[in-house]
Amino acid sequence: PVARSLCRVFTTDEHPFGAVFMHVLQAKARPHDPKNFSVLYTVGVLGKNAKAPGEGEPKPGREKLVKKKAEDFVKVLYDTGANVVHVANHYNTRKRTPQEPALERIRVPIVSGGTFRHPDVSAEWAAMALLAGMQSVAYTSSQQLVVELMPSPDMEGALKQMAVQQEGATPLKSITQVLESDKDEKKAKAFKLVVKGQPRKCWLCCQ
């Protein structure tokens, strides 16, 4: 069912946390809506030696992969967010077939905000690190990308902490949020964050 795959890493580690894989689905394999044409998957950083429910117990050797320092854990999340946008931009600027539409919208959860989250880092701060990384690339890119955030109290808290400006008086749960930048407001408005809205064109999956 996969027509094309892309991958990008930002480290030479044997276990590259933050690696992003993009799979473009064949037309017959796009669920519910033709606009759902792709899946993004990122390798969430380990903040503790744990596995998701049903995956069994982690192996002892896995402990050495854990980011013990909270700042190291957060930095990888920041780099992961940047990597997601890099992959989206690369796909959009490369030569594509008629069956490969431009990637205009992705839906994003909090990466490593649950099972793998560092005990000294809140889910809200994990979300902030991810979004800040995405924002860092979006500000310097000519590509437009709408990022639909999977709603949760932690995600909403992250948006508020990042001083996201609302457009109008519509409640946060249904409004398009726009990251503002003191340096370049025009570029900032090219990167939109929506809590819910139109059919997705891509999903970002993680633990």
Side-chain angles (χ1 to χ4, degrees):
V2 175
R4 187 183 300 275
S5 294
L6 298 82
C7 178
R8 187 179 189 273
V9 298
F10 53 81
T11 175
T12 58
D13 292 348
E14 183 179 353
H15 298 274
F17 291 133
V20 174
F21 301 85
M22 179 177 177
H23 303 300
V24 179
L25 305 176
Q26 295 177 5
K28 63 182 180 181
R30 297 172 185 177
H32 306 299
D33 192 300
K35 294 180 179 180
N36 293 326
F37 74 89
S38 182
V39 174
L40 281 170
Y41 178 85
T42 185
V43 181
V45 58
L46 288 178
K48 58 184 176 182
N49 190 15
K51 283 193 172 184
E55 291 186 343
E57 294 297 320
K59 296 180 179 180
R62 198 164 178 262
E63 180 66 30
K64 65 181 181 180
L65 303 177
V66 175
K67 300 297 181 183
K68 305 293 185 181
K69 296 181 179 179
E71 55 267 35
D72 294 339
F73 175 81
V74 170
K75 177 60 167 61
V76 176
L77 283 178
Y78 178 93
D79 291 338
T80 300
N83 203 27
V84 169
V85 181
H86 277 307
V87 169
N89 287 347
H90 174 74
Y91 169 79
N92 281 336
T93 55
R94 66 186 298 279
K95 186 176 181 179
R96 305 189 307 275
T97 69
Q99 290 73 41
E100 298 174 330
L103 180 59
E104 300 172 353
R105 179 183 298 267
I106 63 175
R107 194 176 200 205
V108 178
I110 302 175
V111 176
S112 293
T115 302
F116 304 146
R117 181 166 52 86
H118 192 286
D120 295 332
V121 177
S122 68
E124 183 176 301
W125 277 92
M128 287 177 62
L130 182 74
L131 298 181
M134 299 179 79
Q135 175 185 351
S136 71
V137 178
Y139 278 166
T140 60
S141 172
S142 61
Q143 300 293 313
Q144 288 196 348
L145 181 68
V146 175
V147 180
E148 183 175 305
L149 305 179
M150 294 179 67
S152 72
D154 292 313
M155 189 69 87
E156 293 183 19
L159 288 176
K160 292 176 181 177
Q161 289 290 339
M162 294 175 71
V164 176
Q165 179 178 326
Q166 294 190 30
E167 295 179 346
T170 308
L172 180 64
K173 289 184 178 179
S174 60
I175 190 64
T176 296
Q177 301 295 325
V178 182
L179 289 175
E180 298 291 344
S181 169
D182 294 335
K183 295 182 179 180
D184 194 336
E185 182 176 333
K186 184 177 180 181
K187 284 187 177 180
K189 287 189 175 181
F191 179 65
K192 295 183 178 180
L193 301 174
V194 299
V195 175
K196 63 179 181 179
Q198 304 173 19
R200 276 74 63 190
K201 282 200 170 184
C202 191
W203 295 84
L204 176 68
C205 302
C206 63
Q207 292 291 341

